[in-house]
Amino acid sequence: MSAFIAVAERGSFSRAAVELCIAQSALSKRVRRLEQRTGAVLLERRARGVVLTPVGEAFLQRALALVEEANYLERHLSSAIQVPAGEVSIALPRRSAGLIAPRIVERCRLEIPRVRLNLLEGTAANVHGWMVRGEADVALTYNADLGAGFRVLPFMSERLVLFSSPGLALQHFGIEGPPRVCAVQDLSRVPLILPRKPDVVRVLVERLAAGHGFKPNVVFEADGLSTIRGMVEYGQGMALLSLSTSWNYSVEQGRLVAIPFSSPLVSWKLHLAHSLRSEGGAAVSRVFEIVRREAIALRECPTFPARRRRAWPIFRLARGTASWRPAARPRVSLPS
């Protein structure tokens, strides 16, 4: 089946033979034996290569799954007697990397000292790209659409909030201060600064807007979170994101206000994922299990932003100015 897959994917016996480092005649015999055993013609031989027959197209999809599963079993059944070793790359989202990375490194150092870790930190789009391109073996990802060859486990759901400068919130929500909650429909009128597709937040916003029959009012596109936060603080637009240390600090300092959504649909989901195709399956499996345990421990930690139930301050219009100042006592609680 591996020989058949190689020929089918390359459309040529000669190219597949070079790739597999075997004689073309031997490769042809393997595929012919497979066709004899299945009782069907899988490949149509032509002067300039081969093409799949209808039966061959259906067989290819099943063969891919079977070969992938066989490779997975071969790697992982021997893990009980192997000492995990080698290099494993872990991709982490920027908002939680600083909290979880030290815990992962310490646990791996104690439990699997022969494994070398390569830590990658980036945006949700970065993490997804590293996994799809095979540059990372294990990840905490907000995008579960990784395709075949990955094990993906749902981990937690985080509510998104609308961040705005006090002045811009005053302009769009009135002089009494930001509302306790906002609606999905508000995304059609407030100026939004969003990342470009296929960023998970951008896709979520556009899906919600389409479901409610409107277009989101996107005034700027920017991919860097620091850039977006700076533009929002400057009053150039509003942004959607879940709570994080840096954005929380801006709220606490009065540079931003955070407005929860009334709909629970405005949320993104964090997943644990690891590649089933990575070399060194024993090491990848052990690192994935360590990441899973430490992620669970972090989820229960009070310092993790998604766990906070912080009371956001009510902002009142300061006398003689066009800006808001925090009131003495906080009264608005963000839903968990």
Side-chain angles (χ1 to χ4, degrees), residues 6 27 44-45 52 77 139 179 182 246 262 274 300-301 314:
L27 180 61
E44 180 182 337
R45 280 76 169 172
L52 288 165
L77 284 178
C182 58
S246 57
S262 57
H274 77 84
E300 303 304 321
C301 180
I314 283 287

Side-chain angles (χ1 to χ4, degrees), residues 67 109 128 217:
V67 169
R109 185 184 67 83
H128 182 261
N217 182 28

Side-chain angles (χ1 to χ4, degrees), residues 154-215:
F155 176 61
M156 66 180 295
S157 179
E158 296 180 78
R159 297 284 291 270
L160 301 183
V161 297
L162 184 67
F163 288 99
S164 171
S165 68
L168 196 61
L170 171 65
Q171 176 182 339
H172 286 274
F173 291 107
I175 63 173
E176 296 300 323
R180 291 181 178 272
V181 293
C182 58
V184 174
Q185 289 80 358
D186 289 326
L187 300 179
S188 66
R189 62 182 186 85
V190 299
L192 297 174
I193 303 174
L194 296 178
R196 293 174 297 178
K197 292 181 180 179
D199 182 89
V200 62
V201 171
R202 179 63 177 270
V203 173
L204 172 65
V205 168
E206 296 205 352
R207 187 172 70 242
L208 288 171
H212 287 77
F214 67 86
K215 290 185 177 181

Side-chain angles (χ1 to χ4, degrees), residues 30-301:
R30 292 185 187 182
V31 175
R32 188 171 293 111
R33 283 199 303 268
L34 180 63
E35 289 179 319
Q36 291 172 351
R37 295 184 66 175
T38 58
V41 177
L42 304 177
L43 294 170
E44 180 182 337
R45 280 76 169 172
R46 295 183 176 179
R48 294 188 177 182
V50 297
V51 295
L52 288 165
T53 64
V55 175
E57 290 181 357
F59 185 80
L60 176 62
Q61 300 305 315
R62 183 59 179 160
L64 285 167
L66 289 173
V67 169
E68 182 177 296
E69 181 66 17
N71 290 336
Y72 176 81
L73 291 173
E74 182 180 359
R75 289 195 305 266
H76 291 76
L77 284 178
S78 61
S79 63
I81 59 174
Q82 291 180 351
V83 177
E87 182 174 303
V88 177
S89 295
I90 307 173
L92 301 171
R94 188 168 292 152
R95 63 183 306 275
S96 56
L99 293 174
I100 196 172
R103 305 165 68 120
I104 294 173
V105 170
E106 180 64 14
R107 183 63 61 182
C108 289
R109 185 184 67 83
L110 294 174
E111 296 185 13
I112 45 176
R114 295 182 59 186
V115 173
R116 301 184 307 277
L117 295 182
N118 178 31
L119 299 177
L120 305 173
E121 175 189 335
T123 63
N126 294 148
V127 172
H128 182 261
W130 288 326
M131 289 295 285
V132 171
R133 293 192 299 270
E135 298 172 22
D137 306 300
V138 179
L140 283 172
T141 176
Y142 287 101
N143 191 339
D145 186 17
L146 296 173
F150 294 92
R151 180 188 180 199
V152 182
L153 300 178
F155 176 61
M156 66 180 295
S157 179
E158 296 180 78
R159 297 284 291 270
L160 301 183
V161 297
L162 184 67
F163 288 99
S164 171
S165 68
L168 196 61
L170 171 65
Q171 176 182 339
H172 286 274
F173 291 107
I175 63 173
E176 296 300 323
R180 291 181 178 272
V181 293
C182 58
V184 174
Q185 289 80 358
D186 289 326
L187 300 179
S188 66
R189 62 182 186 85
V190 299
L192 297 174
I193 303 174
L194 296 178
R196 293 174 297 178
K197 292 181 180 179
D199 182 89
V200 62
V201 171
R202 179 63 177 270
V203 173
L204 172 65
V205 168
E206 296 205 352
R207 187 172 70 242
L208 288 171
H212 287 77
F214 67 86
K215 290 185 177 181
N217 182 28
V218 181
V219 294
F220 290 108
E221 291 183 329
D223 292 327
L225 291 181
S226 296
T227 299
I228 293 177
R229 189 175 73 248
M231 295 175 69
V232 173
E233 290 182 359
Y234 200 76
Q236 294 176 323
M238 303 181 187
L240 279 80
L241 203 68
S242 57
L243 301 179
S244 66
T245 303
S246 57
W247 290 74
N248 288 352
Y249 182 77
S250 294
V251 173
E252 292 166 356
Q253 295 297 309
R255 297 194 297 271
L256 292 177
V257 292
I259 309 167
F261 283 89
S262 57
S263 172
L265 297 177
V266 190
S267 62
W268 60 2
K269 292 178 175 60
L270 186 62
H271 299 79
L272 292 162
H274 77 84
S275 172
L276 301 178
R277 299 173 178 172
S278 302
E279 298 296 331
V284 172
S285 294
R286 287 294 303 277
V287 170
F288 175 77
E289 181 58 26
I290 289 173
V291 172
R292 188 187 69 83
R293 296 202 315 258
E294 293 304 322
I296 292 173
L298 181 63
R299 183 178 61 189
E300 303 304 321
C301 180

Side-chain angles (χ1 to χ4, degrees), residues 300-335:
E300 303 304 321
C301 180
T303 59
F304 187 52
R307 286 272 298 167
R308 294 184 181 179
R309 296 180 179 179
R310 179 179 300 277
W312 297 108
I314 283 287
F315 283 80
R316 300 189 183 284
L317 187 64
R319 180 176 298 178
T321 70
S323 60
W324 285 338
R325 295 291 184 269
R329 299 181 63 184
R331 295 185 299 177
V332 179
S333 297
L334 183 68

